[in-house]
Amino acid sequence: MRKQYGMSRKKYIQPGKCWLVACVLGISLTGPSAWAQLKLPNLPDAARSTVQLPPLPDNTADVTSRLDAIVRDTASELDSQSQRLLRVARVRALLRSNPTTLETDENGAPVLKSQVISLSPTSPSLQTAIDAGFVIVQDERMDVLDIRIVTLQAPKGMTARRALRRLRSLDRNGNYDYNHVYTQSAAGDSENSTSFSYSSPQVSTESYSNTRIGLVDGGVDSTHPVFHNNHIHSWGCDQHAIASAHGTAVASLLAGQSEGFRGAAPGAELYAADIYCEQPVGGAITRIAGALAWLAQLQVPVINISLVGPDNLILKNLISSLIAHGHIVVAAVGNDGPAAAPLYPASYPGVIGVTAVDTHNRVLLEAGRGKQVMFAAPGADLIAATLRGEMINVRGTSFAAPLVAGLIAIHLTRPDVDAAKTTLTMLKNTARDLGSTGYDTTYGYGVVGESLRVINK
């Protein structure tokens, strides 16, 4: 029974909530007439002589500006939350449809069921794991990166969480982590279309056939017209290429070219590693490791990775080794919003984290922010290739990253630490500063690749 008090409850609306009510009711608050549209309740006669409404501010332009800022900030937060929820929903759907192969870590990230990865283990460490009932299911030596990765299957009935705790307690000097599964970082694509026309403000006929670029993503449709000048090498799927919309779009922005369209390095030689192969375990650390080792072995200087996921000891060491050997790794910062925790591999030291901007060079509402952001590039109001020879509207940090990777790749012929530093310094100097003066955590050093935007006319 609700407790009754001796005073009546007053109904009121807090000032900060007025704008929400106005939005729900469809009331405009963007002009001088807005105040007149808010109908006030009738006041008692006695109150009319004592209650005075605040006067309308003299500078209504300032009021409008402040209201616009409130609307933008609110829309930004809502859109960012929707993108995070969308990615979470995709992960949950993946888990529900693959209960026999996937489970989660402590934070809900997908991992391969009952598996643990050991980084460069010693013989005694492996023997300890075997004695505890673990079985070696994969042992891959990546000599070019000075790394060895051993995948261990836990005893029957043991979860990956318990298995990781068990190995870490048995071997305190060992390096173990989950076999995490990483997802593509696209925010959302429009439906495929061949009916629209498109153009680039500055379509160049220049070809970069001597440029080599690596791509870790889904498969690429090499038969698409934008790749008619490219030599594409494929890895994964037992040498049977399986084209994907995301991988094809990213590849086109890296190196594609056709009438009215160009990527950052048109005609470049593309080394495309498909880590998904349309399988639920696609995107696992072991797949990514194999792809990176392949690219390192072939001495591909620049590698674009449009994947996002949690921090992982094995992936961190792989990326660190690549950078130490003179490779440049470019990665999308993700689309979980400005308040989201850092995503990887973009947040690892030395990685070129890329955010996305629209046609007005405003950062996308859903783009991640933080010290991992190094550059911004077009990532909305943008056209890219997709399956069946068609073009598509794309949006997200996934599609900004390849523009930066391509711009870097045209200056490098092989992995080289000094050349990498020089190239990055040059890119910083040519970037157009946005946001706060100098480096900031929204746009990094500024926007590059503005002339590469290909838009729907």
Side-chain angles (χ1 to χ4, degrees):
M1 181 175 179
R2 188 166 60 187
K3 205 170 182 181
Q4 299 295 322
Y5 294 90
M7 62 179 70
S8 62
R9 298 177 61 192
K10 295 182 180 180
K11 295 183 179 180
Y12 66 98
I13 297 177
Q14 297 176 3
K17 296 182 179 179
C18 289
W19 315 123
L20 177 60
V21 173
C23 291
V24 172
L25 297 178
I27 299 174
S28 171
L29 294 180
T30 59
S33 62
W35 306 96
Q37 295 179 40
L38 291 174
K39 186 176 181 181
L40 299 173
N42 293 326
L43 297 175
D45 292 338
R48 287 175 184 161
S49 62
T50 59
V51 176
Q52 295 185 1
L53 294 177
L56 180 67
D58 294 333
N59 192 345
T60 56
D62 285 348
V63 175
T64 300
S65 178
R66 289 197 295 270
L67 293 180
D68 286 344
I70 292 171
V71 171
R72 284 197 304 270
D73 291 345
T74 303
S76 174
E77 180 59 26
L78 291 174
D79 196 71
S80 299
Q81 290 182 12
S82 70
Q83 292 299 335
R84 285 198 296 273
L85 291 173
L86 178 61
R87 194 166 70 84
V88 168
R90 287 172 177 168
V91 169
R92 288 179 177 174
L94 181 67
L95 291 165
R96 284 196 303 270
S97 58
N98 299 278
T100 60
T101 55
L102 298 175
E103 54 180 298
T104 64
D105 67 4
E106 296 84 354
N107 299 312
V111 301
L112 262 63
K113 201 176 189 71
S114 303
Q115 283 192 7
V116 174
I117 301 178
S118 178
L119 176 66
S120 301
T122 63
S123 295
S125 293
L126 285 180
Q127 190 58 54
T128 297
I130 292 171
D131 292 343
F134 288 82
V135 176
I136 298 175
V137 295
Q138 185 176 351
D139 187 344
E140 189 169 1
R141 297 177 183 271
M142 304 172 183
D143 294 334
V144 68
L145 295 175
D146 305 317
I147 284 176
R148 179 188 180 193
I149 294 178
V150 178
T151 306
L152 299 165
Q153 186 73 31
K156 186 176 181 179
M158 185 180 289
T159 64
R161 296 187 202 182
R162 185 181 165 197
L164 184 59
R165 290 195 298 268
R166 177 67 172 155
L167 286 174
R168 285 176 174 173
S169 66
L170 291 172
D171 181 19
R172 296 189 181 277
N173 293 322
N175 295 307
Y176 302 96
D177 212 330
Y178 295 107
N179 197 355
H180 278 115
V181 174
Y182 287 68
T183 59
Q184 294 163 331
S185 64
D189 305 341
S190 302
E191 294 184 3
N192 293 356
S193 173
T194 54
S195 60
F196 58 73
S197 60
Y198 51 91
S199 68
S200 171
Q202 299 179 28
V203 177
S204 172
T205 58
E206 187 173 4
S207 177
Y208 296 92
S209 57
N210 294 325
T211 295
R212 299 190 304 148
I213 309 176
L215 172 63
V216 179
D217 207 297
V220 176
D221 181 4
S222 60
T223 65
H224 197 289
V226 299
F227 300 120
H228 72 283
N229 285 330
N230 300 95
H231 187 186
I232 301 179
H233 307 267
S234 298
W235 177 92
C237 314
D238 296 324
Q239 307 306 313
H240 299 292
I242 302 176
S244 72
H246 190 273
T248 300
V250 172
S252 70
L253 293 167
L254 270 173
Q257 185 177 30
S258 64
E259 184 178 356
F261 175 88
R262 65 160 290 187
E269 195 168 359
L270 190 62
Y271 293 78
D274 184 354
I275 61 169
Y276 292 104
C277 301
E278 295 186 338
Q279 296 180 10
V281 296
I285 286 292
T286 45
R287 290 277 186 87
I288 297 173
L292 294 178
W294 174 64
L295 293 168
Q297 184 68 46
L298 294 174
Q299 294 287 284
V300 179
V302 179
I303 301 170
N304 183 88
I305 307 178
S306 290
L307 313 174
V308 294
D311 187 11
N312 182 281
L313 176 67
I314 284 73
L315 181 59
K316 181 179 181 179
N317 277 268
L318 284 165
I319 296 296
S320 177
S321 183
L322 279 167
I323 294 171
H325 283 79
H327 298 268
I328 291 182
V329 178
V330 180
V333 298
N335 307 295
D336 282 11
L343 293 171
Y344 298 86
S347 298
Y348 287 128
V351 174
I352 311 304
V354 181
T355 190
V357 295
D358 61 17
T359 50
H360 302 287
N361 280 333
R362 294 176 302 205
V363 68
L364 299 195
L365 301 177
E366 66 270 23
R369 300 184 191 182
K371 62 182 180 180
Q372 69 273 25
V373 179
M374 287 195 68
F375 293 103
D381 310 305
L382 193 65
I383 299 299
T386 189
L387 306 179
R388 296 178 298 279
E390 299 176 355
M391 304 300 289
I392 191 174
N393 291 290
V394 294
R395 177 187 175 96
T397 59
S398 273
F399 309 110
L403 298 182
V404 175
L407 289 174
I408 294 173
I410 60 179
H411 298 285
L412 298 172
T413 57
R414 59 185 176 83
D416 184 284
V417 173
D418 292 333
K421 290 179 180 178
T422 300
T423 301
L424 291 178
T425 298
M426 180 196 65
L427 199 62
K428 290 176 185 178
N429 292 336
T430 57
R432 188 155 72 88
D433 193 19
L434 298 175
S436 303
T437 302
Y439 175 85
D440 64 70
T441 56
T442 298
Y443 299 98
Y445 291 100
V447 63
V448 297
E450 294 177 84
S451 65
L452 298 174
R453 186 185 302 280
V454 180
I455 59 175
N456 180 4
K457 292 194 296 185

